[in-house]
PDB file of all heavy atoms in Angstrom:
ATOM      1  N   GLU A   1       0.824  -1.194   0.000  1.00 95.00           N
ATOM      2  CA  GLU A   1       0.000   0.000   0.000  1.00 95.00           C
ATOM      3  C   GLU A   1       0.864   1.252   0.000  1.00 95.00           C
ATOM      4  O   GLU A   1       2.002   1.251   0.462  1.00 95.00           O
ATOM      5  CB  GLU A   1      -0.924   0.005   1.221  1.00 95.00           C
ATOM      6  CG  GLU A   1      -1.935  -1.125   1.233  1.00 95.00           C
ATOM      7  CD  GLU A   1      -2.840  -1.062   2.443  1.00 95.00           C
ATOM      8  OE1 GLU A   1      -2.560  -0.279   3.375  1.00 95.00           O
ATOM      9  OE2 GLU A   1      -3.844  -1.799   2.456  1.00 95.00           O
ATOM     10  N   ARG A   2       0.290   2.306  -0.519  1.00 95.00           N
ATOM     11  CA  ARG A   2       0.968   3.585  -0.476  1.00 95.00           C
ATOM     12  C   ARG A   2       1.096   4.058   0.966  1.00 95.00           C
ATOM     13  O   ARG A   2       0.152   3.967   1.753  1.00 95.00           O
ATOM     14  CB  ARG A   2       0.198   4.597  -1.314  1.00 95.00           C
ATOM     15  CG  ARG A   2       0.907   5.911  -1.526  1.00 95.00           C
ATOM     16  CD  ARG A   2       0.185   6.754  -2.563  1.00 95.00           C
ATOM     17  NE  ARG A   2       0.161   6.091  -3.870  1.00 95.00           N
ATOM     18  CZ  ARG A   2      -0.340   6.629  -4.966  1.00 95.00           C
ATOM     19  NH1 ARG A   2      -0.867   7.853  -4.927  1.00 95.00           N
ATOM     20  NH2 ARG A   2      -0.337   5.956  -6.104  1.00 95.00           N
ATOM     21  N   GLU A   3       2.268   4.560   1.316  1.00 94.00           N
ATOM     22  CA  GLU A   3       2.503   5.013   2.675  1.00 94.00           C
ATOM     23  C   GLU A   3       3.084   6.419   2.677  1.00 94.00           C
ATOM     24  O   GLU A   3       3.840   6.800   1.776  1.00 94.00           O
ATOM     25  CB  GLU A   3       3.434   4.056   3.417  1.00 94.00           C
ATOM     26  CG  GLU A   3       4.808   3.917   2.808  1.00 94.00           C
ATOM     27  CD  GLU A   3       5.703   2.958   3.569  1.00 94.00           C
ATOM     28  OE1 GLU A   3       5.345   2.574   4.703  1.00 94.00           O
ATOM     29  OE2 GLU A   3       6.766   2.593   3.026  1.00 94.00           O
ATOM     30  N   GLY A   4       2.739   7.162   3.696  1.00 95.00           N
ATOM     31  CA  GLY A   4       3.281   8.489   3.846  1.00 95.00           C
ATOM     32  C   GLY A   4       4.730   8.440   4.285  1.00 95.00           C
ATOM     33  O   GLY A   4       5.091   7.678   5.183  1.00 95.00           O
ATOM     34  N   VAL A   5       5.559   9.254   3.667  1.00 96.00           N
ATOM     35  CA  VAL A   5       6.983   9.320   3.979  1.00 96.00           C
ATOM     36  C   VAL A   5       7.296  10.523   4.853  1.00 96.00           C
ATOM     37  O   VAL A   5       7.887  10.400   5.931  1.00 96.00           O
ATOM     38  CB  VAL A   5       7.817   9.367   2.690  1.00 96.00           C
ATOM     39  CG1 VAL A   5       9.295   9.600   3.003  1.00 96.00           C
ATOM     40  CG2 VAL A   5       7.631   8.082   1.894  1.00 96.00           C
ATOM     41  N   SER A   6       6.900  11.692   4.389  1.00 95.00           N
ATOM     42  CA  SER A   6       7.217  12.918   5.101  1.00 95.00           C
ATOM     43  C   SER A   6       6.289  14.014   4.629  1.00 95.00           C
ATOM     44  O   SER A   6       5.559  13.862   3.649  1.00 95.00           O
ATOM     45  CB  SER A   6       8.679  13.322   4.874  1.00 95.00           C
ATOM     46  OG  SER A   6       8.911  13.638   3.515  1.00 95.00           O
ATOM     47  N   CYS A   7       6.356  15.133   5.332  1.00 95.00           N
ATOM     48  CA  CYS A   7       5.533  16.273   4.964  1.00 95.00           C
ATOM     49  C   CYS A   7       6.221  17.543   5.436  1.00 95.00           C
ATOM     50  O   CYS A   7       6.849  17.554   6.503  1.00 95.00           O
ATOM     51  CB  CYS A   7       4.144  16.159   5.582  1.00 95.00           C
ATOM     52  SG  CYS A   7       2.986  17.459   5.081  1.00 95.00           S
ATOM     53  N   ILE A   8       6.098  18.589   4.645  1.00 95.00           N
ATOM     54  CA  ILE A   8       6.625  19.889   5.014  1.00 95.00           C
ATOM     55  C   ILE A   8       5.471  20.879   5.041  1.00 95.00           C
ATOM     56  O   ILE A   8       4.619  20.897   4.151  1.00 95.00           O
ATOM     57  CB  ILE A   8       7.750  20.327   4.055  1.00 95.00           C
ATOM     58  CG1 ILE A   8       8.417  21.604   4.557  1.00 95.00           C
ATOM     59  CG2 ILE A   8       7.245  20.475   2.631  1.00 95.00           C
ATOM     60  CD1 ILE A   8       9.746  21.893   3.867  1.00 95.00           C
ATOM     61  N   SER A   9       5.458  21.697   6.071  1.00 92.00           N
ATOM     62  CA  SER A   9       4.356  22.627   6.264  1.00 92.00           C
ATOM     63  C   SER A   9       4.574  23.898   5.464  1.00 92.00           C
ATOM     64  O   SER A   9       5.636  24.126   4.872  1.00 92.00           O
ATOM     65  CB  SER A   9       4.204  22.960   7.750  1.00 92.00           C
ATOM     66  OG  SER A   9       5.255  23.806   8.187  1.00 92.00           O
ATOM     67  N   SER A  10       3.570  24.744   5.477  1.00 86.00           N
ATOM     68  CA  SER A  10       3.689  26.020   4.787  1.00 86.00           C
ATOM     69  C   SER A  10       4.748  26.918   5.413  1.00 86.00           C
ATOM     70  O   SER A  10       5.273  27.807   4.745  1.00 86.00           O
ATOM     71  CB  SER A  10       2.335  26.738   4.772  1.00 86.00           C
ATOM     72  OG  SER A  10       1.863  26.960   6.089  1.00 86.00           O
ATOM     73  N   SER A  11       5.082  26.676   6.675  1.00 85.00           N
ATOM     74  CA  SER A  11       6.100  27.457   7.363  1.00 85.00           C
ATOM     75  C   SER A  11       7.491  26.854   7.262  1.00 85.00           C
ATOM     76  O   SER A  11       8.449  27.443   7.757  1.00 85.00           O
ATOM     77  CB  SER A  11       5.730  27.636   8.828  1.00 85.00           C
ATOM     78  OG  SER A  11       5.686  26.393   9.499  1.00 85.00           O
ATOM     79  N   GLY A  12       7.614  25.685   6.666  1.00 82.00           N
ATOM     80  CA  GLY A  12       8.910  25.059   6.472  1.00 82.00           C
ATOM     81  C   GLY A  12       9.245  23.937   7.413  1.00 82.00           C
ATOM     82  O   GLY A  12      10.251  23.238   7.201  1.00 82.00           O
ATOM     83  N   GLY A  13       8.464  23.741   8.460  1.00 89.00           N
ATOM     84  CA  GLY A  13       8.693  22.612   9.324  1.00 89.00           C
ATOM     85  C   GLY A  13       8.326  21.318   8.624  1.00 89.00           C
ATOM     86  O   GLY A  13       7.470  21.293   7.742  1.00 89.00           O
ATOM     87  N   PHE A  14       8.984  20.249   9.004  1.00 90.00           N
ATOM     88  CA  PHE A  14       8.693  18.981   8.351  1.00 90.00           C
ATOM     89  C   PHE A  14       8.698  17.848   9.355  1.00 90.00           C
ATOM     90  O   PHE A  14       9.271  17.947  10.449  1.00 90.00           O
ATOM     91  CB  PHE A  14       9.672  18.690   7.210  1.00 90.00           C
ATOM     92  CG  PHE A  14      11.055  18.306   7.651  1.00 90.00           C
ATOM     93  CD1 PHE A  14      11.414  16.979   7.805  1.00 90.00           C
ATOM     94  CD2 PHE A  14      12.009  19.274   7.890  1.00 90.00           C
ATOM     95  CE1 PHE A  14      12.694  16.621   8.198  1.00 90.00           C
ATOM     96  CE2 PHE A  14      13.290  18.932   8.283  1.00 90.00           C
ATOM     97  CZ  PHE A  14      13.632  17.605   8.443  1.00 90.00           C
ATOM     98  N   VAL A  15       8.059  16.774   8.964  1.00 90.00           N
ATOM     99  CA  VAL A  15       7.982  15.581   9.779  1.00 90.00           C
ATOM    100  C   VAL A  15       8.228  14.378   8.889  1.00 90.00           C
ATOM    101  O   VAL A  15       7.794  14.347   7.728  1.00 90.00           O
ATOM    102  CB  VAL A  15       6.624  15.481  10.498  1.00 90.00           C
ATOM    103  CG1 VAL A  15       5.472  15.441   9.503  1.00 90.00           C
ATOM    104  CG2 VAL A  15       6.574  14.260  11.410  1.00 90.00           C
ATOM    105  N   THR A  16       8.940  13.401   9.416  1.00 92.00           N
ATOM    106  CA  THR A  16       9.153  12.134   8.741  1.00 92.00           C
ATOM    107  C   THR A  16       8.312  11.086   9.442  1.00 92.00           C
ATOM    108  O   THR A  16       8.460  10.871  10.646  1.00 92.00           O
ATOM    109  CB  THR A  16      10.627  11.731   8.756  1.00 92.00           C
ATOM    110  OG1 THR A  16      11.404  12.757   8.147  1.00 92.00           O
ATOM    111  CG2 THR A  16      10.839  10.434   7.995  1.00 92.00           C
ATOM    112  N   TYR A  17       7.442  10.447   8.702  1.00 92.00           N
ATOM    113  CA  TYR A  17       6.465   9.561   9.310  1.00 92.00           C
ATOM    114  C   TYR A  17       6.984   8.160   9.565  1.00 92.00           C
ATOM    115  O   TYR A  17       6.494   7.476  10.466  1.00 92.00           O
ATOM    116  CB  TYR A  17       5.227   9.471   8.425  1.00 92.00           C
ATOM    117  CG  TYR A  17       4.462  10.767   8.310  1.00 92.00           C
ATOM    118  CD1 TYR A  17       4.294  11.387   7.085  1.00 92.00           C
ATOM    119  CD2 TYR A  17       3.899  11.359   9.434  1.00 92.00           C
ATOM    120  CE1 TYR A  17       3.589  12.565   6.975  1.00 92.00           C
ATOM    121  CE2 TYR A  17       3.200  12.540   9.338  1.00 92.00           C
ATOM    122  CZ  TYR A  17       3.045  13.143   8.100  1.00 92.00           C
ATOM    123  OH  TYR A  17       2.339  14.320   7.996  1.00 92.00           O
ATOM    124  N   ILE A  18       7.942   7.713   8.796  1.00 90.00           N
ATOM    125  CA  ILE A  18       8.462   6.354   8.909  1.00 90.00           C
ATOM    126  C   ILE A  18       9.725   6.381   9.744  1.00 90.00           C
ATOM    127  O   ILE A  18      10.702   7.042   9.397  1.00 90.00           O
ATOM    128  CB  ILE A  18       8.724   5.757   7.518  1.00 90.00           C
ATOM    129  CG1 ILE A  18       7.453   5.799   6.670  1.00 90.00           C
ATOM    130  CG2 ILE A  18       9.254   4.338   7.636  1.00 90.00           C
ATOM    131  CD1 ILE A  18       7.663   5.366   5.236  1.00 90.00           C
ATOM    132  N   ASP A  19       9.715   5.642  10.843  1.00 90.00           N
ATOM    133  CA  ASP A  19      10.826   5.709  11.790  1.00 90.00           C
ATOM    134  C   ASP A  19      12.162   5.368  11.148  1.00 90.00           C
ATOM    135  O   ASP A  19      13.182   6.000  11.451  1.00 90.00           O
ATOM    136  CB  ASP A  19      10.566   4.775  12.968  1.00 90.00           C
ATOM    137  CG  ASP A  19       9.524   5.308  13.922  1.00 90.00           C
ATOM    138  OD1 ASP A  19       9.203   6.508  13.856  1.00 90.00           O
ATOM    139  OD2 ASP A  19       9.025   4.517  14.751  1.00 90.00           O
ATOM    140  N   SER A  20      12.172   4.384  10.274  1.00 88.00           N
ATOM    141  CA  SER A  20      13.427   3.955   9.676  1.00 88.00           C
ATOM    142  C   SER A  20      14.026   4.999   8.739  1.00 88.00           C
ATOM    143  O   SER A  20      15.192   4.885   8.360  1.00 88.00           O
ATOM    144  CB  SER A  20      13.226   2.640   8.920  1.00 88.00           C
ATOM    145  OG  SER A  20      12.323   2.799   7.839  1.00 88.00           O
ATOM    146  N   LEU A  21      13.247   5.995   8.369  1.00 90.00           N
ATOM    147  CA  LEU A  21      13.730   7.041   7.481  1.00 90.00           C
ATOM    148  C   LEU A  21      14.221   8.276   8.215  1.00 90.00           C
ATOM    149  O   LEU A  21      14.875   9.133   7.610  1.00 90.00           O
ATOM    150  CB  LEU A  21      12.629   7.454   6.502  1.00 90.00           C
ATOM    151  CG  LEU A  21      12.055   6.348   5.624  1.00 90.00           C
ATOM    152  CD1 LEU A  21      11.031   6.918   4.662  1.00 90.00           C
ATOM    153  CD2 LEU A  21      13.151   5.619   4.874  1.00 90.00           C
ATOM    154  N   LYS A  22      13.902   8.382   9.478  1.00 90.00           N
ATOM    155  CA  LYS A  22      14.316   9.544  10.241  1.00 90.00           C
ATOM    156  C   LYS A  22      15.835   9.607  10.316  1.00 90.00           C
ATOM    157  O   LYS A  22      16.499   8.629  10.620  1.00 90.00           O
ATOM    158  CB  LYS A  22      13.702   9.505  11.639  1.00 90.00           C
ATOM    159  CG  LYS A  22      12.194   9.658  11.625  1.00 90.00           C
ATOM    160  CD  LYS A  22      11.597   9.569  13.022  1.00 90.00           C
ATOM    161  CE  LYS A  22      10.091   9.732  12.974  1.00 90.00           C
ATOM    162  NZ  LYS A  22       9.474   9.615  14.309  1.00 90.00           N
ATOM    163  N   GLY A  23      16.367  10.772  10.020  1.00 92.00           N
ATOM    164  CA  GLY A  23      17.803  10.943   9.963  1.00 92.00           C
ATOM    165  C   GLY A  23      18.407  10.620   8.619  1.00 92.00           C
ATOM    166  O   GLY A  23      19.576  10.947   8.376  1.00 92.00           O
ATOM    167  N   ARG A  24      17.655   9.982   7.742  1.00 96.00           N
ATOM    168  CA  ARG A  24      18.134   9.649   6.400  1.00 96.00           C
ATOM    169  C   ARG A  24      17.464  10.486   5.316  1.00 96.00           C
ATOM    170  O   ARG A  24      18.091  10.773   4.295  1.00 96.00           O
ATOM    171  CB  ARG A  24      17.915   8.172   6.096  1.00 96.00           C
ATOM    172  CG  ARG A  24      18.636   7.228   7.031  1.00 96.00           C
ATOM    173  CD  ARG A  24      18.705   5.818   6.460  1.00 96.00           C
ATOM    174  NE  ARG A  24      17.388   5.198   6.342  1.00 96.00           N
ATOM    175  CZ  ARG A  24      16.813   4.837   5.193  1.00 96.00           C
ATOM    176  NH1 ARG A  24      17.436   5.049   4.046  1.00 96.00           N
ATOM    177  NH2 ARG A  24      15.620   4.259   5.197  1.00 96.00           N
ATOM    178  N   PHE A  25      16.217  10.825   5.528  1.00 96.00           N
ATOM    179  CA  PHE A  25      15.461  11.596   4.544  1.00 96.00           C
ATOM    180  C   PHE A  25      15.196  12.989   5.096  1.00 96.00           C
ATOM    181  O   PHE A  25      14.798  13.138   6.257  1.00 96.00           O
ATOM    182  CB  PHE A  25      14.121  10.934   4.233  1.00 96.00           C
ATOM    183  CG  PHE A  25      14.196   9.697   3.380  1.00 96.00           C
ATOM    184  CD1 PHE A  25      15.368   8.970   3.248  1.00 96.00           C
ATOM    185  CD2 PHE A  25      13.066   9.258   2.706  1.00 96.00           C
ATOM    186  CE1 PHE A  25      15.422   7.829   2.462  1.00 96.00           C
ATOM    187  CE2 PHE A  25      13.105   8.116   1.921  1.00 96.00           C
ATOM    188  CZ  PHE A  25      14.282   7.406   1.799  1.00 96.00           C
ATOM    189  N   THR A  26      15.390  13.995   4.264  1.00 95.00           N
ATOM    190  CA  THR A  26      15.145  15.375   4.645  1.00 95.00           C
ATOM    191  C   THR A  26      14.281  16.049   3.594  1.00 95.00           C
ATOM    192  O   THR A  26      14.552  15.933   2.397  1.00 95.00           O
ATOM    193  CB  THR A  26      16.458  16.157   4.806  1.00 95.00           C
ATOM    194  OG1 THR A  26      17.264  15.539   5.807  1.00 95.00           O
ATOM    195  CG2 THR A  26      16.177  17.594   5.216  1.00 95.00           C
ATOM    196  N   THR A  27      13.264  16.741   4.045  1.00 95.00           N
ATOM    197  CA  THR A  27      12.370  17.472   3.159  1.00 95.00           C
ATOM    198  C   THR A  27      12.601  18.961   3.338  1.00 95.00           C
ATOM    199  O   THR A  27      12.687  19.447   4.465  1.00 95.00           O
ATOM    200  CB  THR A  27      10.906  17.127   3.466  1.00 95.00           C
ATOM    201  OG1 THR A  27      10.720  15.711   3.372  1.00 95.00           O
ATOM    202  CG2 THR A  27       9.965  17.815   2.494  1.00 95.00           C
ATOM    203  N   SER A  28      12.683  19.673   2.237  1.00 95.00           N
ATOM    204  CA  SER A  28      12.925  21.103   2.292  1.00 95.00           C
ATOM    205  C   SER A  28      12.245  21.777   1.112  1.00 95.00           C
ATOM    206  O   SER A  28      11.809  21.124   0.164  1.00 95.00           O
ATOM    207  CB  SER A  28      14.426  21.413   2.296  1.00 95.00           C
ATOM    208  OG  SER A  28      15.042  20.930   1.111  1.00 95.00           O
ATOM    209  N   ARG A  29      12.179  23.086   1.191  1.00 95.00           N
ATOM    210  CA  ARG A  29      11.602  23.871   0.105  1.00 95.00           C
ATOM    211  C   ARG A  29      12.688  24.605  -0.654  1.00 95.00           C
ATOM    212  O   ARG A  29      13.637  25.130  -0.069  1.00 95.00           O
ATOM    213  CB  ARG A  29      10.591  24.888   0.636  1.00 95.00           C
ATOM    214  CG  ARG A  29       9.330  24.268   1.200  1.00 95.00           C
ATOM    215  CD  ARG A  29       8.340  25.351   1.627  1.00 95.00           C
ATOM    216  NE  ARG A  29       7.148  24.780   2.230  1.00 95.00           N
ATOM    217  CZ  ARG A  29       6.055  24.456   1.569  1.00 95.00           C
ATOM    218  NH1 ARG A  29       5.986  24.655   0.255  1.00 95.00           N
ATOM    219  NH2 ARG A  29       5.017  23.935   2.207  1.00 95.00           N
ATOM    220  N   ASP A  30      12.540  24.630  -1.944  1.00 95.00           N
ATOM    221  CA  ASP A  30      13.360  25.459  -2.814  1.00 95.00           C
ATOM    222  C   ASP A  30      12.411  26.479  -3.427  1.00 95.00           C
ATOM    223  O   ASP A  30      11.840  26.261  -4.492  1.00 95.00           O
ATOM    224  CB  ASP A  30      14.050  24.620  -3.880  1.00 95.00           C
ATOM    225  CG  ASP A  30      15.020  25.423  -4.720  1.00 95.00           C
ATOM    226  OD1 ASP A  30      14.958  26.665  -4.694  1.00 95.00           O
ATOM    227  OD2 ASP A  30      15.853  24.806  -5.402  1.00 95.00           O
ATOM    228  N   LYS A  31      12.235  27.582  -2.730  1.00 92.00           N
ATOM    229  CA  LYS A  31      11.234  28.557  -3.154  1.00 92.00           C
ATOM    230  C   LYS A  31      11.564  29.183  -4.498  1.00 92.00           C
ATOM    231  O   LYS A  31      10.661  29.505  -5.270  1.00 92.00           O
ATOM    232  CB  LYS A  31      11.071  29.639  -2.087  1.00 92.00           C
ATOM    233  CG  LYS A  31      10.353  29.170  -0.838  1.00 92.00           C
ATOM    234  CD  LYS A  31      10.023  30.345   0.065  1.00 92.00           C
ATOM    235  CE  LYS A  31       9.137  29.926   1.212  1.00 92.00           C
ATOM    236  NZ  LYS A  31       8.734  31.081   2.041  1.00 92.00           N
ATOM    237  N   ALA A  32      12.852  29.353  -4.777  1.00 95.00           N
ATOM    238  CA  ALA A  32      13.243  29.960  -6.038  1.00 95.00           C
ATOM    239  C   ALA A  32      12.783  29.128  -7.224  1.00 95.00           C
ATOM    240  O   ALA A  32      12.515  29.667  -8.297  1.00 95.00           O
ATOM    241  CB  ALA A  32      14.756  30.167  -6.084  1.00 95.00           C
ATOM    242  N   LYS A  33      12.717  27.828  -7.039  1.00 96.00           N
ATOM    243  CA  LYS A  33      12.289  26.937  -8.103  1.00 96.00           C
ATOM    244  C   LYS A  33      10.850  26.474  -7.939  1.00 96.00           C
ATOM    245  O   LYS A  33      10.387  25.633  -8.724  1.00 96.00           O
ATOM    246  CB  LYS A  33      13.225  25.730  -8.171  1.00 96.00           C
ATOM    247  CG  LYS A  33      14.657  26.086  -8.507  1.00 96.00           C
ATOM    248  CD  LYS A  33      15.508  24.845  -8.663  1.00 96.00           C
ATOM    249  CE  LYS A  33      16.948  25.205  -8.963  1.00 96.00           C
ATOM    250  NZ  LYS A  33      17.074  25.910 -10.257  1.00 96.00           N
TER     251      LYS A  33
END
């Protein structure tokens, strides 16, 4: 099944939903692009 990985808020904060990915995956915004 499809699973949630991470999410970034409108303010730039983010959360990683899968424990095994914490510290390995980073979500960020590139506003210029």
Side-chain angles (χ1 to χ4, degrees):
E1 296 181 349
R2 189 170 298 184
E3 61 180 348
V5 173
S6 65
C7 185
I8 187 165
S9 73
S10 59
S11 63
F14 73 94
V15 60
T16 303
Y17 294 119
I18 304 174
D19 286 345
S20 63
L21 302 183
K22 293 178 180 178
R24 299 196 294 116
F25 286 20
T26 301
T27 304
S28 61
R29 292 184 183 269
D30 186 344
K31 288 190 172 184
K33 297 184 182 296

